[in-house]
Amino acid sequence: MSVDLSGKVAIVTGSGAGLGRAEAVALARAGARVVLNDLPGAAEEAAEEIRGFGGEAVIAAGDVSDRATADAMMAAAVDGFGGLDIVVNNAGITRDKMLFNMSDEEFDLVVRVHLRGHFLLTRNASAHWRSVAKSSGAPVDAAVVNTSSEAFLSGPPGQANYGAAKAGITALTMSTARSMGRSGVRANAICPRAATAMTEGVLSGDSYGAEHVAPLVTYLASPAAAAITGQVFVVYGGMIAVLAPPTVAERFDNAAWDLDSLDKQVGGWFADRDPEAGFSADSIMQLKLKDQEEQ
């Protein structure tokens, strides 16, 4: 299958800088016409970069958590470029703080931008693709790439808002893959480790360059990835890891549970376990590049 995106139309949110800009540029270099989104005034340089090598780009500025912005992005793609084939949801912010110090506004803002932002554009695009598939009598060839984070697996103590939003994005991705597959839409999520303005002070170095993430996004958006959907990838440096779904650690069966039997069976099993061994996927957080493992 082809990785050529000529004739395809893509929307990339948060594409004024950092990871979103790298993704938009990579899609454009592969042949896609790109609708850039960021806050007003933030995407002009990215648009000029794409036009500089002969690519096509327009800007639909605005806050991704506003319905009007999702509508404007769809209009720029469908009315302006004549269609839509690829959605890359990337836009996000952080407001890190310990849970007991986090304000209502800090929680709501992060969840709104990340999760609601992903939902609004994905919902609008899904409605469009379903309509196209029904009217044509054939499935479309469309792709959604969402931006999750390993934070949804680990529950960082200072990122209750961010981790919760990313968990929601992962579930949204799985639901999109299942509900839209018949219409010809595939949906996947990436958990990128990339040095951007949002991760400043946390990630740095060549291994965390956005250029290491953009190729996977471009591939997942291409016809060559037609069989890949409902997956979650950790990606950084030269590494791509496909995550497996959670497994059942233990099972307890009793026809009539009472507190004593619960304590004996459930409590007894936990009595021999490391109290730190919870649902958090610490092993995934320890993923390293090959050269880092050898050091």
Side-chain angles (χ1 to χ4, degrees):
M1 295 290 286
S2 175
V3 294
D4 182 14
L5 299 183
S6 297
K8 301 286 188 181
V9 177
I11 298 173
V12 185
T13 69
S15 47
L19 183 56
R21 178 169 175 170
E23 291 166 340
V25 168
L27 290 166
R29 287 193 180 279
R33 292 171 289 170
V34 183
V35 177
L36 302 170
N37 158 266
D38 215 309
L39 295 175
E44 276 73 9
E45 288 186 5
E48 286 306 310
E49 180 180 357
I50 290 171
R51 292 167 187 152
F53 58 75
E56 294 184 63
V58 297
I59 299 171
D63 181 343
V64 293
S65 67
D66 291 338
R67 169 65 189 271
T69 302
D71 293 346
M73 287 188 282
M74 290 297 299
V78 177
D79 299 335
F81 281 145
L84 177 64
D85 307 283
I86 300 159
V87 165
V88 179
N89 285 301
N90 166 78
I93 59 170
T94 54
R95 292 294 185 272
D96 296 351
K97 195 168 287 185
M98 294 300 288
L99 178 61
F100 42 81
N101 287 327
M102 187 172 290
S103 68
D104 297 3
E105 292 76 17
E106 287 163 339
F107 183 86
D108 291 346
L109 179 61
V110 170
V111 171
R112 180 179 173 87
V113 172
H114 284 274
L115 183 53
R116 177 178 164 84
H118 272 64
F119 160 72
L120 288 174
L121 180 56
T122 303
R123 187 271 312 279
N124 284 13
S126 294
H128 167 74
W129 287 323
R130 185 170 182 268
S131 177
V132 171
K134 288 182 68 176
S135 63
S136 68
V140 298
D141 175 19
V144 176
V145 182
N146 288 334
T147 307
S148 186
S149 166
E150 291 165 275
F152 95 90
L153 294 164
S154 63
Q159 292 187 310
N161 48 7
Y162 183 76
K166 292 305 187 181
I169 286 169
T170 304
L172 174 66
T173 306
M174 300 305 106
S175 181
T176 304
R178 290 187 164 190
S179 62
M180 293 301 297
R182 185 173 297 180
S183 297
V185 181
R186 57 193 179 276
N188 296 285
I190 61 168
C191 298
R193 299 180 188 175
T196 65
M198 199 170 71
T199 60
E200 188 175 2
V202 179
L203 299 176
S204 61
D206 293 341
S207 296
Y208 299 107
E211 69 274 10
H212 296 301
V213 177
L216 175 62
V217 172
T218 305
Y219 175 73
L220 292 175
S222 75
I228 304 174
T229 190
Q231 305 297 325
V232 179
F233 300 86
V234 174
V235 53
Y236 85 108
M239 182 198 74
I240 297 170
V242 184
L243 302 189
T247 60
V248 176
E250 187 58 84
R251 172 176 165 168
F252 309 94
D253 292 287
N254 194 317
W257 287 107
D258 57 54
L259 295 182
D260 287 339
S261 58
L262 280 169
D263 182 50
K264 181 178 180 180
Q265 293 189 52
V266 180
W269 186 74
F270 276 100
D272 298 325
R273 284 173 59 87
D274 178 356
E276 297 296 323
F279 187 79
S280 294
D282 294 330
S283 62
I284 294 174
M285 301 301 295
Q286 300 305 315
L287 279 171
K288 296 181 179 179
L289 301 179
K290 287 293 185 181
D291 57 351
Q292 293 174 333
E293 293 176 341
E294 296 168 358
Q295 292 177 0

